[in-house]
Amino acid sequence: MRPLFHPQIEDVRLEAILHALSDPARVALFTQIAAADCARTCTALAGGVDQAIPKSTLSQHFKVLREAGLIRSERQGVEMRNTARCTEINDRFPGLLPAILDAHRRQAA
Amino acid sequence: MRPLFHPQIEDVRLEAILHALSDPARVALFTQIAAADCARTCTALAGGVDQAIPKSTLSQHFKVLREAGLIRSERQGVEMRNTARCTEINDRFPGLLPAILDAHRRQAA
């Protein structure tokens, strides 16, 4: 099984973060991951976001979020556990993620 | 000459803003427009951002920024004057643009 690629925080690019979160499904997924106190699994998330997202599409969304530096994914048996890299990103780009997540909430309201 | 499309502020979508600013040339263009006290023209901006951007590419970038709701463009003779819609967007998504522009500055530093 190939190792999962996670960029070093200093290699995380603003453009990649904005691209990753410019997709409605991905910003919704990331919002849930960031809101979770504990790591969430792909399966649990798929239920919360949209029952209709096929598993392969969901894996692709997680890959984009991971490679943009937004989440850390760990294989645990057949599951994948995802956690948001909020603290690291907030050190690099202060206020960016809170502002995007707040805008997402306002738009959904 | 076709009228330029500008979305109403209530139709401006977070995803469109993030997509528009996920391109390095566009975020640089928008940063300059937002920083300008007065409206900037395409020609003046092209000089500031990258002499190598062809005019047609630049027009396309302005179109994406305009249709995302980030800028207002006005034809003035053969020139196009662009202003940032910062105040309107800040009312809709408080803190979003300052956080993105700050992240852009930190990354460029």
Side-chain angles (χ1 to χ4, degrees), chain B:
Chain B
M1 205 173 281
R2 276 188 307 173
L4 298 168
F5 173 70
H6 294 93
Q8 297 291 312
I9 190 64
E10 58 271 22
D11 296 328
V12 166
R13 302 285 303 169
L14 172 65
E15 294 81 2
I17 290 178
L18 300 185
H19 167 70
L21 298 179
S22 70
D23 178 274
R26 282 198 299 266
V27 72
L29 274 175
F30 181 71
T31 298
Q32 287 201 27
I33 299 173
D37 288 332
C38 52
R40 294 242 185 154
T41 63
C42 275
T43 321
L45 276 170
V49 171
D50 185 347
Q51 300 283 1
I53 299 184
K55 198 165 175 231
S56 59
T57 308
L58 208 54
S59 295
Q60 184 55 34
H61 284 324
F62 281 110
K63 182 170 187 278
V64 174
L65 291 172
R66 183 166 59 242
E67 297 191 349
L70 285 162
I71 62 171
R72 199 170 285 288
S73 309
E74 283 177 273
R75 291 199 181 92
Q76 297 203 337
V78 294
E79 287 285 2
M80 188 81 85
R81 294 179 74 76
N82 299 289
T83 44
R85 297 175 67 180
C86 293
T87 309
E88 285 173 282
I89 294 173
N90 219 44
D91 284 346
R92 180 152 162 73
F93 299 129
L96 179 67
L97 292 183
I100 294 175
L101 295 179
D102 178 64
H104 179 68
R105 267 193 303 275
R106 284 170 188 269
Q107 182 169 276

Side-chain angles (χ1 to χ4, degrees), chain A residues 1-8 26 29-30 33-34 38-43 45 57-86 88-89:
Chain A
M1 206 174 279
R2 277 189 306 172
L4 299 167
F5 173 70
H6 294 92
Q8 297 290 312
R26 281 197 300 266
L29 274 176
F30 181 71
I33 299 173
C38 53
R40 294 242 184 153
T41 63
C42 275
T43 320
L45 277 168
T57 308
L58 207 54
S59 295
Q60 184 55 34
H61 284 324
F62 281 111
K63 182 170 187 276
V64 174
L65 291 172
R66 183 167 60 242
E67 297 192 349
L70 285 161
I71 63 171
R72 199 170 286 286
S73 309
E74 283 177 274
R75 290 200 181 92
Q76 297 201 338
V78 296
E79 288 284 3
M80 187 83 84
R81 294 179 74 78
N82 299 288
T83 44
R85 296 175 67 180
C86 293
E88 286 172 282
I89 294 172

